[in-house]
Amino acid sequence: MKTVVFSTKPYDREFLSRANESVGLELAFLESRLAPQTVKLAEGFESVCVFVNDQLDASVLIGLKKVGVKHVALRCAGFNNVDIASAEELGLTVTRVPAYSPYAIAEHAVALMLTLNRRIYWAHSRVRDGNYSLDGLLGFDLHGKTVGIVGTGKIGQCLTEALHGFGCKLLGVDQYENERCKKVGMQYVSFEEMLAQSDIISLHCPLMPETYHLIDNEAVAHMKRGVMIINTSRGGLIDTKAVIEGLKSGKIGYMGLDVYEEEEGLFFEDKTFEVRKDDDFARLTTFPNVIITGHQAYFTREALIRIAETTLANLSAFASGEELINQVKAS
Ligand code: NAI
């Protein structure tokens, strides 16, 4: 079975090729992002392998179907970029990698928290410049602080366990209570109560119509003054304009982002010599208390190995008509 891999970076090629040594599928690697303009490149392939910022709306799915594609293999966990209902109507099978390393993302969330709190980015530059002054670098003890975790699934649970080690008080928001989180003292509360009580809020729920702009003006209004917000989930969970206002007023004291609502076509690319066209993103980069990483939370060796192995297992199972344990269905 032939598969075309979109949005290929050198590390994707390396890890997928290595995992494929024992599987033997026919893989073609393309650097292009899947979008209406590139859908024709899938002609002659039964499967397409895609990542978080490939575009799989109804028009692209129709295009894929027309050129003979039968299977969309996501090499990521989130599937908010795929119109699953349309895929089902068209008879296209969609698979994903539901879990590869929840530790990678949870650890990156902790990295953002500590970096922001202790101003490591400023401290590093200062020492390199020969400035050893501590003014402006004052942090706080994480121990004893209240952390609100929205979404206590695989990643939220890893973060809960890590922060338990720091001695944080843990508040969870999720329709399903996670016993492992409760075991380390997590208390489940309403979203509003979590907003009102948390010193740090970390987002770990999926992006869906119900969670789009979960953090909006109203949510910011309910937060403690000086709150830290961490988002390693999906950019659309945060209304960027609302948090810019919150940062300007001082209501939000710190913000760490690994994802951004308009990140397609921006993240994963070198845009050094391009004029910044997104004014909201440009504004975010001007705040001294905001740090942004370009969707790298998943980017560990262990995660890339698991992603490659599971993606190839999904492709292989589809090719041989086996049961698809990682299929994404509209229901
Ligand atoms: P999961 O499915 O194990 O957990 C998600 C949890 O969110 C579930 O317990 C679910 O009940 C809960 N949830 C759903 N709607 C909610 C709502 N309205 N309020 C509160 N909780 C809600 O997923 P996992 O593996 O923990 O991943 C979470 C998200 O992290 C993914 O959807 C993905 O968007 C993001 N992610 C980001 C990565 C990165 O590199 N930055 C890498 C991998 C995942």
Side-chain angles (χ1 to χ4, degrees), residues 29-195:
F29 294 100
L30 293 179
E31 285 177 22
S32 317
R33 192 169 81 88
L34 178 58
Q37 304 80 355
T38 57
V39 75
K40 279 214 164 82
L41 298 172
E43 188 149 15
F45 294 92
E46 250 190 309
S47 294
V48 292
C49 177
V50 294
F51 197 48
V52 292
N53 290 331
D54 285 302
Q55 188 183 330
L56 292 114
D57 55 20
S59 71
V60 171
L61 293 168
I62 291 168
L64 288 176
K65 172 91 180 171
K66 264 192 197 152
V67 299
V69 169
K70 297 188 175 75
H71 174 210
V72 173
L74 288 153
R75 54 181 191 280
C76 53
F79 48 88
N80 53 283
N81 55 332
V82 187
D83 182 338
I84 299 295
S86 298
E88 256 181 40
E89 268 176 42
L90 291 162
L92 290 170
T93 302
V94 180
T95 56
R96 66 175 181 135
V97 184
Y100 40 91
S101 172
Y103 309 105
I105 297 96
E107 288 169 15
H108 194 75
V110 175
L112 291 174
M113 285 175 200
L114 293 174
T115 306
L116 278 166
N117 172 21
R118 307 308 292 267
R119 313 263 190 219
I120 301 296
Y121 46 113
W122 289 115
H124 176 66
S125 314
R126 274 192 198 181
V127 170
R128 285 195 348 171
D129 290 345
N131 174 359
Y132 309 108
S133 140
L134 299 182
D135 290 337
L137 301 184
L138 190 66
F140 58 82
D141 285 2
L142 209 49
H143 184 269
K145 293 296 174 296
T146 300
V147 185
I149 298 181
V150 184
T152 58
K154 292 176 284 296
I155 296 169
Q157 179 192 306
C158 288
L159 181 66
T160 300
E161 290 174 338
L163 293 176
H164 171 67
F166 279 94
C168 296
K169 184 178 171 202
L170 298 155
L171 300 180
V173 177
D174 201 311
Q175 56 271 52
Y176 303 104
E177 299 195 354
N178 180 322
E179 290 307 317
R180 293 262 303 263
C181 294
K182 281 166 82 173
K183 210 168 157 191
V184 294
M186 173 167 272
Q187 205 189 325
Y188 279 91
V189 295
S190 67
F191 182 62
E192 288 69 27
E193 203 176 334
M194 181 280 303
L195 293 175

Side-chain angles (χ1 to χ4, degrees), residues 100 153-155 173-175 204 206 211 232-234 258 298:
Y100 40 91
K154 292 176 284 296
I155 296 169
V173 177
D174 201 311
Q175 56 271 52
H204 300 284
T211 56
T232 59
S233 193
R234 284 293 181 266
D258 185 52
Y298 80 101

